[in-house]
Amino acid sequence: MRLSGLPIPEPSKFSLPVLKTRQPLRRFAPAPAMMSVEKPAAETPAVEREHLPPVLLLRPLLSHFHDALAPKFRFLKPWESPLPRDEFLAAHAGDVRALLCVGPFPVDAGLLACLPKLELVVTGSAGVNHIDVAECRRRGIAVTNAGNAFTDDVADYAVALLIDVLRQISAADRYVRRGLWPIQGDYPLGRKLGGKRVGIVGLGSIGSAVAKRLEAFGCTILYYSRSRKPSISYKFFSNVTNLAAESDVLVIACALTTETYHIINKEVMQALGRDGIIINVGRGALVDENELVKCLMEEEIGGAGLDVFENEPAVPQELFHMDNVVLSHHRAVFTPESFHGVLEVVLGNLEAFFSNRPLLTPISE
Amino acid sequence: MESLGVLLTLPMNPYLEAELHRRCHLFRLWESPPARRKDFLRANAPSIRAVVGNAFVGADAETIDALPRLEIVASYSVGLDKVDLARCRERGIRVTYTPDVLTDDAADLAIGLSIATLRRLFDANRYVRAGSWKAKGDYKLTSRFSGKTVGLLGLGRIGLAVAKRAEAFGCPICYHSRTRKPNVNYKYFPSVLELAANCDVLIVACSLTEETRRIINRGVINTLGPKGVLVNIGRGPHVDEPELISALVEGRLGAAALDVYEHEPDVPEELFRLENVVLTPHVGSATWETRKAMADLVLGNLEAHVLNKPLLTPFL
């Protein structure tokens, strides 16, 4: 299960068709039992299970997720059937009203067409770029996401990446572990965080949480967003290039859509300048990765802290040797607290749906 | 201040050294081989009226005694554990240091180290750079920082700055220091042991004195426990280093982030293999901006001294 941290989409921001990412399915090494074609032993007797509301899964859940939810819902598991997926759905999922997707498996128009009774898509991620939100809206299907379950951890991670890049924590650690301190002397000086102008790209819940933290370090906060936020005192920019021109650091925390694809491009990087730093905790495709690598190699920007990449798990190898780059394998949300939080949100949304109560974290229309 | 003879103990900053050379009469202690150091001092003692030292080599009793004309020790550091303050007091030697200008950097580092340790950022970097992400999925969970209780050992300038930052992460703050601080909303514990028992991340930010030497001992480490994190941005001798290492190896202490060590620049190699540590080479104030500000403060103090004006940042 890979859960990605992005802010809740703003109202009427995603009326355009959503970009589907091509991220390969990164899962735990599948336990053979989960991939077998025989039906698994039921946790509850078949008769009782029949009364549980059915929920369609597309991929196996991590065991703690499964164990928490299985007593309350009857999971339909297409991968356990010898039938091809569409036939399975036609045979078994004709009445299914809810789909749970945990991980960036695409929920596209083709899939939705096989589920005529679908009313709800629950995703265990903050980002919904893997879901054809426009198609869901057309079909009257509600979509819920992780809400604020990931906000703190992603914001913490963004700050940690930034301090690491500026103060070279990971690079200096490598220096020490290689035994170089006694031989080559003091590590080269880093750069001070206080007083830096930090441009937040996307001031949703994660962007705001990053801003709040960095203010305590004496940073000046600027932001780009689709529209100005009336109650926010940070300086607003309607254009990312202009934001970059007045920033020392860019923190990318917006949702990935067709509009924001490669929003951090060559022009933005040049505006950011030679000492500029890019921190990406959104989606890899928000940044033109080839251009980023080129700018880093030619020292046209000062450094980067990256938790996400365009073609995970592939990471451009040119970055491996750069001490001004901090790399992480898309794990900003990998804490027990976030996992627990998102489980609660997923469970809460499913329970609300099946008892006709308002959903907890619907994405806005 | 061309007539001011200044002994610089180490090559600590090119700008500082260049300015001292330009504006004063500079003696570079390291230009004499260690075996001839006493002779070097004796030969130049008539001219030396100022010493500029740092956290590694300061002005110990032997050095002070060898310099009968010494008037001022201007330390390129905020910590004065390498200056024999008692000797200075006896001789009426002024001592200046560099408070405030490095407070932010030290506090930033403390928080950066705390998050990096809990979230295993070093490990993530290593994993990706080894090409391991292609080969296997990794679902290891790491500990959240936000909301963890931060315990400060020492609530001086740096301790307060760390607390202010940690509060922005929703971290409850508690502290232990020699005396309870008035006008502070954080919970005070009268002993370091109680502090350790009541926090998740213990950050050492006090000065090194005889009382605080090895204040982080086996008892404190065990109390902090298998989920606890120790962050040392103070001085290496604050911590019983061998005890710390065995605790980390045995899992009695959850994790540690160290910027300082008992015998810098030598770091015990047992630490190199550990996944639950972050090791930085005494970079608490190591930014361009701050080191320049520290240098200017040293120069400003020396100039004030020569001009008989009030010192900018006197300690003694």
Side-chain angles (χ1 to χ4, degrees):
Chain A
M1 172 176 70
R2 259 185 338 133
L3 305 168
S4 313
L6 285 182
I8 303 170
E10 293 300 308
S12 52
K13 292 292 182 289
F14 301 105
S15 52
L16 297 172
V18 170
L19 183 80
K20 292 185 280 258
T21 59
R22 292 186 319 282
Q23 294 176 352
L25 294 167
R26 216 37 228 161
R27 296 279 179 274
F28 52 92
M34 288 193 168
M35 300 304 285
S36 73
V37 291
E38 305 110 70
K39 280 189 179 256
E43 286 88 356
T44 48
V47 160
E48 285 180 35
R49 270 196 303 133
E50 282 304 311
H51 289 111
L52 297 176
V55 174
L56 176 63
L57 297 179
L58 300 174
R59 278 289 184 276
L61 298 175
L62 278 184
S63 58
H64 86 281
F65 240 70
H66 185 273
D67 293 347
L69 300 173
K72 307 192 179 215
F73 308 101
R74 178 165 60 85
F75 287 132
L76 301 174
K77 302 175 180 175
W79 66 87
E80 289 183 343
S81 162
L83 296 174
R85 189 191 78 178
D86 289 4
E87 283 185 43
F88 173 90
L89 295 180
H92 300 286
D95 288 335
V96 88
R97 299 168 61 214
L99 162 64
L100 171 58
C101 72
V102 181
F105 187 78
V107 177
D108 55 21
L111 172 63
L112 295 171
C114 296
L115 302 167
K117 294 290 194 332
L118 193 69
E119 297 170 43
L120 173 67
V121 173
V122 174
T123 179
S125 57
V128 294
N129 49 294
H130 55 296
I131 298 172
D132 191 335
V133 169
E135 185 67 14
C136 286
R137 192 176 306 117
R138 266 196 290 283
R139 289 171 172 271
I141 299 170
V143 178
T144 65
N145 70 352
N148 288 332
F150 300 147
T151 298
D152 281 345
D153 283 328
V154 179
D156 290 357
Y157 216 70
V159 172
L161 286 170
L162 177 56
I163 299 178
D164 195 329
V165 174
L166 281 171
R167 301 297 298 274
Q168 305 167 112
I169 295 178
S170 290
D173 192 336
R174 283 194 291 275
Y175 185 79
V176 171
R177 286 185 210 239
R178 271 193 238 129
L180 294 176
W181 194 12
I183 302 173
Q184 290 186 14
D186 286 341
Y187 197 75
L189 297 177
R191 293 168 57 201
K192 187 176 166 135
L193 175 55
K196 292 285 181 289
R197 302 163 301 171
V198 177
I200 313 266
V201 181
L203 200 70
S205 91
I206 290 173
S208 302
V210 173
K212 174 180 165 208
R213 285 154 173 72
L214 289 179
E215 278 192 297
F217 292 79
C219 295
T220 301
I221 306 296
L222 320 164
Y223 75 103
Y224 159 84
S225 192
R226 292 285 286 271
S227 60
R228 186 193 295 266
K229 310 221 176 231
S231 52
I232 299 293
S233 57
Y234 311 138
K235 185 170 176 187
F236 167 71
F237 290 79
S238 56
N239 174 293
V240 180
T241 305
N242 293 346
L243 175 72
E246 282 193 37
S247 300
D248 303 302
V249 177
L250 288 180
V251 176
I252 320 303
C254 59
L256 177 63
T257 66
T258 46
E259 283 200 349
T260 60
Y261 175 78
H262 281 194
I263 192 173
I264 307 302
N265 57 20
K266 178 175 177 147
E267 201 195 340
V268 170
M269 292 186 224
Q270 286 181 337
L272 186 60
R274 309 191 52 111
D275 290 330
I277 291 174
I278 292 177
I279 303 295
N280 191 2
V281 290
R283 283 286 185 277
L286 290 164
V287 174
D288 181 342
E289 199 163 275
N290 287 338
E291 195 55 48
L292 176 67
V293 172
K294 194 155 157 289
C295 283
L296 284 164
M297 284 178 54
E298 290 167 15
E299 295 182 13
E300 282 174 30
I301 66 164
L306 308 170
D307 187 44
V308 287
F309 304 87
E310 283 208 67
N311 297 298
E312 295 171 14
V315 175
Q317 299 213 356
E318 297 91 328
L319 301 177
F320 289 4
H321 305 294
M322 296 182 186
D323 279 347
N324 56 342
V325 174
V326 178
L327 303 169
S328 165
H329 45 308
H330 202 155
R331 59 204 297 241
V333 307
F334 274 62
T335 66
E337 293 92 340
S338 272
F339 274 35
H340 180 76
V342 77
L343 174 57
E344 283 196 329
V345 169
V346 162
L347 178 58
N349 277 306
L350 287 171
E351 284 183 328
F353 174 72
F354 286 115
S355 46
N356 289 320
R357 284 182 282 112
L359 299 170
L360 303 185
T361 57
I363 67 166
S364 315
E365 290 307 312
Chain B
M1 37 179 178
E2 304 87 22
S3 64
L4 182 70
V6 178
L7 176 71
L8 187 60
T9 62
L10 278 179
M12 51 191 79
N13 179 284
Y15 162 74
L16 176 62
E17 192 177 325
E19 286 295 289
L20 287 171
H21 176 76
R22 187 171 70 81
R23 294 159 65 175
C24 311
H25 182 187
L26 182 62
F27 298 89
R28 296 174 175 83
L29 183 61
W30 65 94
E31 280 183 346
S32 78
R36 308 283 312 276
R37 205 133 292 174
K38 280 210 175 90
D39 298 332
F40 177 88
L41 286 177
R42 200 177 307 121
N44 294 300
S47 311
I48 296 174
R49 291 159 53 207
V51 169
V52 173
N54 69 356
F56 296 98
V57 180
D60 58 12
E62 200 183 325
T63 306
I64 295 171
D65 288 346
L67 301 171
R69 294 198 64 207
L70 184 58
E71 296 165 10
I72 179 169
V73 174
S75 192
Y76 183 66
S77 69
V78 72
L80 290 171
D81 43 286
K82 289 283 166 65
V83 177
D84 193 321
L85 295 170
R87 255 323 183 274
C88 290
R89 248 182 229 110
E90 279 167 32
R91 293 253 310 259
I93 295 168
R94 305 304 306 275
V95 177
T96 67
Y97 61 150
T98 61
D100 297 319
V101 292
L102 53 70
T103 299
D104 286 342
D105 272 358
D108 294 349
L109 185 70
I111 300 292
L113 287 174
S114 299
I115 311 177
T117 307
L118 281 167
R119 301 302 310 274
R120 299 282 196 266
L121 201 47
F122 175 79
D123 200 43
N125 248 305
R126 194 185 47 77
Y127 185 81
V128 175
R129 280 166 206 254
S132 304
W133 198 11
K134 284 183 162 60
K136 35 194 199 283
D138 174 1
Y139 294 92
K140 206 160 38 171
L141 297 182
T142 55
S143 291
R144 170 178 287 186
F145 174 67
S146 276
K148 288 291 191 305
T149 301
V150 169
L152 285 157
L153 180 58
L155 202 67
R157 281 172 285 257
I158 294 174
L160 279 170
V162 175
K164 175 178 165 215
R165 285 152 175 75
E167 282 189 298
F169 293 79
C171 296
I173 310 288
C174 51
Y175 73 102
H176 168 66
S177 64
R178 274 169 304 192
T179 54
R180 192 192 286 263
K181 308 272 171 188
N183 306 323
V184 143
N185 264 336
Y186 311 135
K187 186 161 169 63
Y188 174 76
F189 287 101
S191 75
V192 60
L193 212 52
E194 284 168 88
L195 182 71
N198 286 283
C199 69
D200 301 306
V201 181
L202 199 161
I203 302 181
V204 180
C206 58
S207 49
L208 181 64
T209 64
E210 278 319 300
E211 291 84 41
T212 60
R213 201 166 284 273
R214 292 210 162 177
I215 189 173
I216 306 297
N217 56 21
R218 184 185 181 94
V220 172
I221 290 168
N222 282 344
T223 304
L224 200 43
K227 294 213 170 84
V229 178
L230 177 71
V231 177
N232 192 1
I233 54 155
R235 286 288 180 267
H238 276 128
V239 175
D240 181 341
E241 204 162 86
E243 184 55 49
L244 174 69
I245 294 169
S246 68
L248 287 165
V249 167
E250 292 164 26
R252 284 182 286 119
L253 177 65
L258 307 172
D259 187 46
V260 287
Y261 310 84
E262 280 199 285
H263 305 290
E264 297 171 18
D266 295 311
V267 177
E269 290 192 15
E270 300 96 307
L271 291 170
F272 296 176
R273 291 184 276 283
L274 296 178
E275 205 179 85
N276 53 346
V277 295
V278 178
L279 308 168
T280 50
H282 202 147
V283 295
S285 64
T287 65
W288 287 102
E289 297 93 331
T290 293
R291 289 289 170 86
K292 170 138 192 314
M294 288 164 65
D296 286 336
L297 208 44
V298 167
L299 295 163
N301 275 306
L302 290 175
E303 191 163 54
H305 174 73
V306 159
L307 296 175
N308 244 330
K309 291 205 177 121
L311 299 179
L312 303 183
T313 48
F315 184 85
L316 279 184

